[in-house]
Amino acid sequence: MNIVDSSCWLEYFAGSKVGDLVSTAIEELDSLIVPSITLYEVFKKLLIEMDEDSALLAVAHMKQGTVIELDSDLSIYSAKISKDFKLPMADSIIYATTKKYNCTLWTQDKHFKDLENIKYFEKEKKK
């Protein structure tokens, strides 16, 4: 099972090198878990940088995976993860979902770099 962090979804939609690397995880829909917080993050970023139609199209693609809603149990588990690993709220929700569903998390976020079940990609330098 795979979870793709918001940073990697954005790279995928941009058609970047990292986007190509994560495409395997994204395109295996039967193994794709999508924390609902990533829908929020990707939609907001694309809404700001592009337009609403592009943002809606992107989240429609994301919703082809299994979307995991933030319920009360996952909220409490995320708070514990946040405390234990010193993660910000959204990251703790994503990592708690990763652990709960025994997934590999594909990310460019340094907060996750040294944690278990992480497939980490360095961010490309802006030219």
Side-chain angles (χ1 to χ4, degrees):
M1 301 299 282
N2 295 299
I3 291 179
V4 177
D5 189 25
S6 304
S7 62
C8 287
W9 274 108
L10 293 166
E11 294 294 329
Y12 175 77
F13 292 130
S16 73
K17 182 177 163 186
V18 169
D20 289 341
L21 295 172
V22 300
S23 66
T24 309
I26 289 173
E27 293 166 6
E28 291 177 12
L29 296 176
D30 292 341
S31 300
L32 181 62
I33 301 288
V34 181
S36 58
I37 193 81
T38 61
L39 295 171
Y40 169 90
E41 290 181 323
V42 171
F43 183 81
K44 181 180 176 188
K45 182 80 167 168
L46 294 177
L47 191 60
I48 291 167
E49 293 186 357
M50 298 177 81
D51 57 69
E52 188 169 347
D53 288 341
S54 298
L56 287 169
L57 194 61
V59 295
H61 184 82
M62 294 172 73
K63 288 169 69 175
Q64 291 180 64
T66 301
V67 176
I68 304 299
E69 303 294 339
L70 180 61
D71 62 15
S72 58
D73 291 337
L74 188 55
S75 294
I76 292 165
Y77 186 42
S78 298
K80 184 174 178 344
I81 292 288
S82 179
K83 177 193 163 284
D84 291 348
F85 296 101
K86 298 177 178 34
L87 294 173
M89 182 181 67
D91 290 345
S92 69
I93 294 167
I94 292 166
Y95 194 58
T97 307
T98 299
K99 291 180 71 63
K100 181 176 180 178
Y101 291 91
N102 195 28
C103 296
T104 297
L105 175 60
W106 302 60
T107 186
Q108 293 185 101
D109 190 330
K110 287 184 181 179
H111 288 111
F112 298 120
K113 187 176 181 181
D114 298 320
L115 301 179
E116 291 180 341
N117 300 327
I118 301 299
K119 193 143 183 126
Y120 176 76
F121 303 92
E122 288 284 335
K123 287 189 179 183
E124 291 183 16
K125 303 275 191 251
K126 302 260 182 185
K127 295 179 183 181

